[in-house]
Amino acid sequence: MRLDFLNYDSFLLRSLVSVLGIFSFILCLSCTRQYAEHDHLLPDLAAFVDPFIGTDAHGHTYPGASVPFGMVQLSPDNGISGWDWCSGYHFSDSIIVGFSHLHLSGTGIGDLADISFMPTHQTVDFSKTIESRLDLDYHAKYRHDKEFAAPGYYRVQFEESDILVELTATERTGMQQYTSGQDGLLHVVVDLGFAINWDRPVETYLYLYDDNIVSGHRYSTGWAKNQKVFFHTEFSKNFDGYYFVGDDFTLSDSYDIQGKRVKGLFSFDMKKGEKLVVKTGLSSVDNEGARLNLKTECPGWDFEYIQELSYAIWNKELNKIRIESEDAELKKVFYTGLYHSFLAPVMHSDTDGRYRGADDQVKKAHFDYYSTFSLWDTFRAAKPLYTLLQPHRVNDFIRTMLAHYDEYGLLPVWSLAANETNTMTGYHAIPVIADAWFKGFRDYDVEKAYEAMKASAMQDIRGVNFLKEYGYIPADLEDESVTKTLEYAYDDWCIAQMAKALQKNDDYAYFTERAGAYKYLFDEVSGFMRGKMLDGSWKPNFDPKFSAHRVGAEYTEGNAWQHSWFVPHDVEGLIQLFGSRERFIEKLDSLFNEDSEITGENISVDISGLIGQYAHGNEPSHHIAYMYNYAGVPSKTQERIWEIMKTQYNARPDGLCGNEDCGQMSAWYIFSALGFYPVNPAESIYVIGRPMFEKMEILLHDDKVFEILAPGAENEGMYIQSVKLNGLEHHQTYIHHRDIANGGRLEFDMGPSKSNWGTHPDNFPPSMTKVKQ
């Protein structure tokens, strides 16, 4: 082993730092134990969370350890590249090749899985050719009955070696605990070359910092074209041996190594049952940032304490909504959904405020800078949910988007590791900002926010140039033309509302006109939104069930049945295009009653969770069942919402009918179970559906409580008979955000028969086009 780089001066310095670190840890421990003890008074709602829900089928979630919105997602990797392994893990698998520190929750594209560690008792030969994961000497088999996960914690015991691996996390650090399965050497492989799916390393570096410390970095390209991760890892025991492995597979006992796919192996002489703790700080900035993150958040070696603290943090977050039910399975679905809703966006700035921005420059922020903004998905329900349950984060989300604008020139579309990926359609940071602004979240430069919104809408890429020139996006000039036109129209409506509020009258008129772009694409004969050519003719050979993924498509990850309903800002205008409410209702019924055949040779795999042609497994369908309220038949909304909640969610690993998509799939369930949903996310209203539970409480900031009562809702009470808000009869089929945020009580009288509640036009939700009596 090489330790001659240690000199006496550096030893004294590190000893002093160690003493100071222990002192600060004692102070931190005292404070946080009091915090944890206080939180032990809360109901243990975290016990209803099962992180394995969504890890099977196409949910694409991970089972590992994280804290709410944390930078670190420490989780097992099966070592397979494939669509159902976008998170690195799939419940159908039985092999683990490592535990890496960064993962995506429920996305349809695979990336991350950075900084991988793997314990083994096997002798490792790095020189042999690796054609599959089974060729890795350190791969391990496991069974699900030897696996367990809870909020902030994961463990698994390997079949052959009996090594027990436990994982927990703080906001910017991951902590692992390995229990040796036998006497002798325990090796820990640090594989910076490990990569799955789109990710590829371009530069990796390992440095022996001390006799129990290793640091380094991993630069990679993939979905995020320029990702940089720095790490600082400390082991609870000194190394009894180590070596590095270069790109040419030669072994080295030098102090550092750099290459494209470098690895390190660190050996420890262990007794059976002895524990080795490994803790790692991450940073997007540099190794010093990673070291300081680790020192600040995880200075000690008490794995159980960090695990308990992580669990307590989660339990406090989950206690923001309390439900009463005798059905433990339903409570598991609900609280796991709330848990999934709080996994992203993720912290991107260090404890000292530094972060690496979209321009690859290191900045220092006076706020928490976040990344992983899956905006095509989360603008619909997840971001509105945060305005209720995460109000202290909302302004920082907006500040992050404005910093991204400063660094990139446009608002984020899909930000990953602060990289703009430009994934998906629309410019949906705009409704997120508008939603926050109209709800009173304004602790940022509002004029800059409006400037950024307008800049994104006036760009000349992503089909916006055609929208500006022709009023719609021609199908013969741009793929996914229908979806893009519809989504830009909605985003433009959001800008128009901001312009009106800020007294920018010319902009208000201009963007209001653009908000009506959906009308160009409505075909009165078929009743669908269709691709229109530059010459004004319809694209030929129309089939509403046809799907083409990306190339040659008019619809993004869907077909005409699923995308023709995206006019959330003007449902009344859409109804008028149909010619009558009766025809609109008939078409909406047909969506759910049509057979589920999808045609085409390149069908999007994202079309899932089908009820007829309604596809709950992908976001464009999420608002549709609530549209019956706009047509005066809320009883049909109530029927469909109940059906979707009952058939598309369950408490098994396959409990999500489609990609979780960074919280959106679960946020739909949370809102719908509460009894309402933000059909138009930037309108500050929630359209009423039907509650899932008989009693629910939303615990808001400033000790305010919004109580929801619905006796009989879980059993015979399918239909709403009447509603009261704060003791007064409430006839409208929607409620305002302020009604909830101010605290109060919403009471549902439920019954087995349909009623006339909400059927008068005066009670319909608002639209851009005024309701015709």
Side-chain angles (χ1 to χ4, degrees), residues 17 139 188 207 339 346 372 412 431 448 494 679 698:
V17 169
H139 81 270
V188 179
Y207 168 61
Y339 165 84
V346 302
T372 310
K448 175 183 279 190
C494 296
V679 170
I698 305 175

Side-chain angles (χ1 to χ4, degrees), residues 379-683:
F379 86 92
R380 305 167 196 266
K383 292 299 187 294
L385 185 66
Y386 302 151
T387 65
L388 289 170
L389 302 183
Q390 301 291 334
H392 60 293
R393 300 183 197 270
V394 173
N395 282 310
D396 282 355
F397 290 159
I398 307 304
R399 293 186 189 112
T400 298
M401 293 178 185
L402 297 184
H404 183 100
Y405 168 67
D406 287 338
E407 297 153 7
Y408 181 72
L410 296 170
L411 288 169
V413 174
W414 214 120
S415 174
L416 175 61
N419 283 234
E420 180 55 79
T421 69
N422 270 312
T423 302
M424 308 308 292
T425 49
Y427 25 75
H428 297 314
I430 287 172
V432 174
I433 296 173
D435 179 43
W437 194 85
F438 282 111
K439 290 175 180 175
F441 297 94
R442 302 178 183 180
D443 191 12
Y444 46 85
D445 188 335
V446 175
E447 284 297 328
K448 175 183 279 190
Y450 181 78
E451 171 193 305
M453 295 166 77
K454 187 175 177 180
S456 290
M458 298 303 292
Q459 60 186 294
D460 286 321
I461 59 175
R462 295 166 52 83
V464 181
N465 51 326
F466 301 131
L467 179 68
K468 291 189 296 182
E469 185 172 357
Y470 305 113
Y472 67 99
I473 299 176
D476 46 344
L477 298 182
E478 184 90 6
D479 280 336
E480 302 176 317
S481 61
V482 175
T483 298
K484 289 178 180 178
T485 299
L486 297 179
E487 293 187 2
Y488 288 148
Y490 171 67
D491 294 338
D492 289 342
W493 178 88
C494 296
I495 300 175
Q497 306 317 300
M498 285 285 287
K500 182 179 180 180
L502 297 174
Q503 298 182 336
K504 301 179 186 296
N505 297 329
D506 290 344
D507 284 355
Y508 171 65
Y510 173 71
F511 285 106
T512 296
E513 181 180 358
R514 278 180 42 169
Y518 70 91
K519 297 175 184 178
Y520 284 97
L521 303 186
F522 185 77
D523 175 16
E524 295 180 0
V525 176
S526 68
F528 290 102
M529 298 288 180
R530 291 184 56 185
K532 180 171 284 190
M533 311 296 274
L534 180 59
D535 63 6
S537 63
W538 296 117
K539 186 174 180 179
N541 303 316
F542 175 67
D543 175 2
K545 296 180 180 179
F546 176 80
S547 166
H549 192 70
R550 300 296 181 198
V551 179
E554 285 89 64
Y555 312 94
T556 301
E557 298 180 355
N559 62 23
W561 272 111
Q562 293 131 27
H563 282 259
S564 293
W565 309 95
F566 191 75
V567 193
H569 58 297
D570 197 14
V571 180
E572 177 62 25
L574 178 61
I575 291 172
Q576 291 184 16
L577 289 179
F578 275 93
S580 70
R581 295 193 187 285
E582 290 73 23
R583 189 179 175 209
F584 175 83
I585 294 167
E586 181 183 359
K587 192 71 171 184
L588 200 49
D589 287 342
S590 296
L591 170 71
F592 292 96
N593 296 327
E594 183 67 39
D595 69 66
S596 297
E597 179 190 13
I598 307 295
T599 62
E601 297 180 357
N602 184 29
I603 296 172
S604 176
V605 293
D606 298 279
I607 301 175
S608 60
L610 288 167
I611 301 174
Q613 285 287 317
Y614 172 88
H616 193 73
N618 210 18
E619 282 68 23
S621 289
H622 280 189
H623 68 293
I624 298 176
Y626 287 90
M627 297 177 81
Y628 284 112
N629 280 25
Y630 295 78
V633 281
S635 60
K636 288 180 177 286
T637 284
Q638 294 155 33
E639 291 170 349
R640 291 303 181 187
I641 295 303
W642 181 257
E643 179 183 11
I644 294 166
M645 287 193 290
K646 284 292 190 178
T647 63
Q648 304 303 311
Y649 297 84
N650 65 64
R652 302 187 302 268
D654 65 353
L656 295 174
C657 64
N659 297 167
E660 167 61 22
D661 284 322
C662 297
Q664 170 58 28
M665 191 66 66
S666 289
W668 184 95
Y669 186 89
I670 298 303
F671 267 125
S672 296
L674 291 172
F676 42 81
Y677 184 82
V679 170
N680 178 348
E683 200 168 24

